[in-house]
Amino acid sequence: MTALEPRDAEVAPEADEIPGEPAERSGVLGRTHRALSVGIIAVILLIAFEATAVGTAMPVAARELNGVSLYAFAFSSYFTTSLFAMVLSGQWADRRGPLAPLATGISAFGAGLLLSGTADAMWLFILGRAVQGLGGGLVIVALYVVVSRAYPSRLQPAILAAFSASWVVPSVVGPLVSGTVTEQLGWRWVFVGIPVLVVFPLAIALPAIRRKAAGPADAGAPVPAFDRRRIRLALGISLGAGLLQYAGQDLRWLSLLPAAVGGALLVPAVRGLLPRGTYVAARGLPSVVLLRGIAAGAFIAAESFVPLMLVTQRGLSPTMAGLSLAVGGATWAFGSWVQSRPRMEPYRDWMVSGSMVLVAAAIATTPSVLIAAVPVWVVAVAWGVGCFGMGTVIASTSVLLLQLSAPDEAGANSAALQISDGLSNVMLLAIGGAVFAALGGGAVGHTVAASGASGSHPAAFAAVFLPMAGVALVGAWVATRLRTQQS
């Protein structure tokens, strides 16, 4: 068996299959898995709707709270706290099953939204995003453990593709609803309204997970204690990333001190939590983890500034700025569906590498709308292409990770994948936010007229997008190293 062949013999949920069951009944929406699939897809729908809706309302919230200079913090605080939660969730799920971390995570996710929605200062808004990040980190790793335990390896690409497909409706409806609510009722209602949606995923997902994936992977084995060293490293990686983000936003000589402390905390934590060889792109699992960070970090860092750029530089309303990215939900799902086809498995390497080139091209094209003669619809087209590439890459790295993980390692390895994802988001957002602030980007919120664009500091936006395109190109090379030499 090669390193990337399905590990059917090691996946306990295969036993859940009904002998002789027709294929349509044993698929992800067949009788065997229907309730579980509907439940966890509902959780993804909640996360997707939050991401698209909150992103649309964020520019207005930042301006009203006089916090445009801290705009990147509103995104990176989520990822910073989620880093700690990912490690905690991985250990929790491996030892006790994914049910408890998932329920706790969804509850924290909703509480963070309420805190941000009622904030009267930017620091409270950022704190709410941090609480939300704790919940998101618990949820995402727990869901990967659910997939690893409850679905046979032949169905894992399909359920992960369904995760991506779950972004389609929120990507179209989310910006429209969020923009309309922001303009008619105020941005706060976008945040305080979403927690109502928590009830449905809890009611559907948790009972199904209790039946299919509760408890440790090996019920007969003694449950080991939490690895306190990994928990300390997780705390170090979260604090270190936060200090580096703070130093990047406060560009003074005194900022060198928190930057140095942050680096001292971050380096050993990263080395201890990610697979050996990750940052030299060693073949196999290390390159899978590294590619996930490169792809997600470059894309999210760029995407976070798209609505702000369209609102402040081209005068779009929050609704129209959000809708410019809506097509990306459909193309992301399509890219994920393409990679899930069995016939594509032999070509996964070059498919992922080519997709990273598409991501780089999309990010590089987007700031062209800073030129007044370039129509705004160019952003929608470019982002649609980039999201197709991301759908292929994100789903492929998830599939490869599960193929390379034994059942009792799924939580820890999934945590490593998500740490790479979240840490890269924090670091690249910190770098992008620092450059944006240094070039005067923080002033755009104070110069936007009520009816149009300010035209100020376009270089601040370009300085965010173009380096991220270069990072994505590095990912195209890393994608050539996903298989071991023996594969």
Side-chain angles (χ1 to χ4, degrees):
M1 182 177 68
T2 64
L4 293 184
E5 287 176 344
R7 307 172 70 103
D8 290 323
E10 300 176 348
V11 181
E14 281 284 14
D16 189 51
E17 295 294 322
I18 300 175
E21 190 76 6
E24 65 271 16
R25 293 189 179 182
S26 62
V28 296
L29 292 178
R31 188 177 69 184
T32 305
H33 299 96
R34 184 184 299 125
L36 178 61
S37 297
V38 170
I40 61 177
I41 288 172
V43 175
I44 298 297
L45 279 169
L46 168 66
I47 295 173
F49 188 81
E50 178 276 337
T52 55
V54 169
T56 302
M58 198 75 78
V60 178
R63 284 189 296 180
E64 184 174 312
L65 296 174
N66 296 318
V68 173
S69 62
L70 301 175
Y71 185 77
F73 265 125
F75 291 95
S76 63
S77 61
Y78 178 101
F79 298 116
T80 298
T81 55
S82 69
L83 292 171
F84 173 77
M86 288 169 188
V87 177
L88 178 62
S89 183
Q91 292 203 36
W92 196 352
D94 279 343
R95 286 156 177 76
R96 299 291 184 181
L99 183 63
L102 184 60
T104 304
I106 292 176
S107 300
F109 193 82
L113 283 167
L114 290 174
L115 182 56
S116 289
T118 56
D120 58 3
M122 192 63 179
W123 71 269
L124 278 174
F125 182 89
I126 292 171
L127 177 61
R129 292 287 289 167
V131 173
Q132 192 183 342
L134 287 172
L138 290 171
V139 167
I140 193 64
V141 173
L143 285 178
Y144 272 83
V145 177
V146 170
V147 170
S148 174
R149 294 189 184 183
Y151 294 86
S153 58
R154 67 177 181 83
L155 292 182
Q156 289 171 3
I159 189 62
L160 292 171
F163 283 6
S164 292
S166 301
W167 284 76
V168 176
V169 173
S171 295
V172 175
V173 176
L176 178 61
V177 173
S178 175
T180 301
V181 170
T182 298
E183 293 173 16
Q184 301 299 322
L185 300 177
W187 62 268
R188 295 182 186 276
W189 286 99
V190 174
F191 289 83
V192 300
I194 291 176
V196 176
L197 301 176
V198 170
V199 177
F200 180 71
L202 281 175
I204 299 297
L206 299 187
I209 293 170
R210 184 179 292 110
R211 293 192 301 270
K212 295 268 186 192
D218 185 354
V223 178
F226 277 88
D227 186 339
R228 295 183 179 180
R229 175 179 175 273
R230 289 184 66 84
I231 297 296
R232 288 195 298 269
L233 291 175
L235 185 59
I237 203 173
S238 185
L239 290 175
L243 287 170
L244 286 176
Q245 171 73 5
Y246 171 79
Q249 291 292 292
D250 188 19
L251 300 177
R252 298 180 298 168
W253 285 109
L254 289 177
S255 299
L256 292 176
L257 179 59
V261 174
L265 290 170
L266 197 61
V267 172
V270 169
R271 290 174 61 88
L273 292 172
L274 298 186
R276 185 182 300 274
T278 296
Y279 285 101
V280 294
R283 289 187 177 274
L285 183 62
S287 284
V288 172
V289 172
L290 177 60
L291 178 61
R292 179 59 163 263
I294 288 174
F299 191 80
I300 295 299
E303 185 180 51
S304 299
F305 284 88
V306 172
L308 186 66
M309 178 179 68
L310 294 178
V311 169
T312 61
Q313 304 300 299
R314 296 300 298 263
L316 269 65
S317 68
T319 302
M320 294 307 298
L323 285 175
S324 67
L325 305 180
V327 69
T331 58
W332 188 303
F334 181 59
S336 182
W337 177 84
V338 168
Q339 68 79 37
S340 73
R341 300 300 88 192
R343 69 184 64 179
M344 298 303 295
E345 182 62 34
Y347 312 106
R348 191 175 294 277
D349 288 6
W350 70 259
M351 177 176 61
V352 173
S353 185
S355 294
M356 287 304 302
V357 173
L358 292 180
V359 172
I363 296 174
T365 301
T366 298
S368 65
V369 299
L370 291 167
I371 303 172
V374 177
V376 174
W377 56 258
V378 168
V379 171
V381 174
W383 223 245
V385 171
C387 284
F388 173 83
M390 286 296 292
T392 301
V393 173
I394 296 300
S396 288
T397 53
S398 299
V399 169
L400 291 171
L401 178 107
L402 294 180
Q403 289 178 350
L404 291 166
S405 301
D408 60 351
E409 297 173 344
N413 288 346
S414 296
L417 188 77
Q418 297 303 325
I419 286 170
S420 178
D421 186 319
L423 179 62
S424 181
N425 286 334
V426 171
M427 299 305 296
L428 292 180
L429 271 168
I431 294 170
V435 173
F436 183 74
L439 294 178
V444 299
H446 303 291
T447 58
V448 177
S451 60
S454 67
S456 62
H457 306 102
F461 289 98
V464 172
F465 288 100
L466 297 181
M468 299 308 159
V471 172
L473 282 178
V474 174
W477 171 77
V478 174
T480 66
R481 303 177 61 81
L482 301 180
R483 297 183 187 271
T484 62
Q485 295 287 6
Q486 290 77 22
S487 302

